[in-house]
Structure formats: structure tokens, C-alpha cells
Amino acid sequence: MPPHFHGGSQGDRITKAGMKILWGYVWQYRYRFLIGVLGLACIDLAVLLMPHFIALAFDALSDGTATRELLRKLCLTMIAIMTCGIFFRFLWRYCFSGVGLKINRDLRQKIFDHLQTMPPEYFDKHRVGDLTAHMTNDVQAVEHSVAF
């Protein structure tokens, strides 16, 4: 296991050095990642706005001040907020998953390039199946931590 990662009873943890390496990969795709973060912020805003409009509708109904036009506007506003939430949820997942897949590809290529430089004796000492399993599991863990 790389020195930036430590196994333990609490699971694998990443150190500051490991985070720095990970953010180096994320930085390559920072614009797409940033769009995903903004999409996530818009989702949170939509989630926070919905109770406000629901409360306005219930208040108008309980006060007896509700008109058909007011309720129509509130319903259309809530539908618009939900539609925006759906769009930004797609955008967030699309961007984060894309960044995770691109980092996965970059890491696999870097590992492959490194393995190509290893002498044949290295593969006599280390079983290829173990190397493949470690590479696959570790790279997928990084991808899932970025794409959450």
C-alpha cells in the first residue's frame, strides 16, 4: 500500500500527502468539477426553497386569502424549482462521475506505464493477479471518492 494510505480497523485513511496527490488529479478537471459543485449548490438551494413556497400555499389556504391565481403561481413556481433541481442533480452527477472516470483512466495509464518500466524479476517476486487486484481496487476507490 502506498505510504500515503494507512490501513486500520477503521478502514483506509488518506493522509495530507495523499489528498494533495488526489487534488492534483482533480485539478486537471477543475472546471468540470466546479460545474458539479455549483450544480450541487443549486440542488441545495432548490431543496431549501420548496418548504417556503409550500408554507406560503398553506398559509394562504388557512387564512382564506388563497385565490386560484395565487395557488396556480405557487404550483408553477414549485414545479419550476423541482425541474431545476432535476436538471442540476443530473449536471452534478454527470460532472462528478465524469471527473471520477477521467481520473480513473489517468491513474490506470500511469500505473500501466510504471509497470512497463519494471524489470521482469519484479513480476517473479510479485504475483500478477495480486498486482491487478490492488490496482483495480485502489483505482476504483479513488474514483468513487471523487465521484461520490
Side-chain angles (χ1 to χ4, degrees), residues 66-78:
T67 63
R68 185 170 272 201
E69 183 63 26
L70 175 66
L71 292 177
R72 186 180 71 75
K73 285 182 182 178
L74 288 174
C75 286
L76 289 175
T77 302
M78 288 188 283

Side-chain angles (χ1 to χ4, degrees), residues 38-147:
L38 292 175
L40 185 58
C42 290
I43 294 166
D44 290 340
L45 181 63
V47 168
L48 290 172
L49 284 175
M50 284 302 287
H52 174 71
F53 287 102
I54 293 171
L56 287 175
F58 274 104
D59 288 345
L61 287 170
S62 64
D63 293 347
T65 60
T67 63
R68 185 170 272 201
E69 183 63 26
L70 175 66
L71 292 177
R72 186 180 71 75
K73 285 182 182 178
L74 288 174
C75 286
L76 289 175
T77 302
M78 288 188 283
I79 290 170
I81 291 170
M82 286 187 285
T83 304
C84 288
I86 290 168
F87 170 75
F88 285 114
R89 186 171 305 276
F90 168 78
L91 185 67
W92 160 59
R93 288 186 177 168
Y94 180 78
C95 289
F96 276 25
S97 294
V99 170
L101 288 171
K102 288 176 186 282
I103 290 172
N104 184 330
R105 179 198 60 208
D106 294 347
L107 285 173
R108 286 179 191 266
Q109 186 63 50
K110 186 171 183 173
I111 292 169
F112 177 77
D113 292 343
H114 177 70
L115 288 175
Q116 292 293 319
T117 64
M118 302 302 289
E121 295 80 25
Y122 179 81
F123 298 101
D124 291 337
K125 294 178 185 174
H126 300 89
R127 294 187 304 189
V128 175
D130 289 342
L131 293 172
T132 304
H134 280 288
M135 181 181 82
T136 301
N137 293 334
D138 293 347
V139 170
Q140 283 180 344
V142 170
E143 176 189 349
H144 289 131
S145 68
V146 172

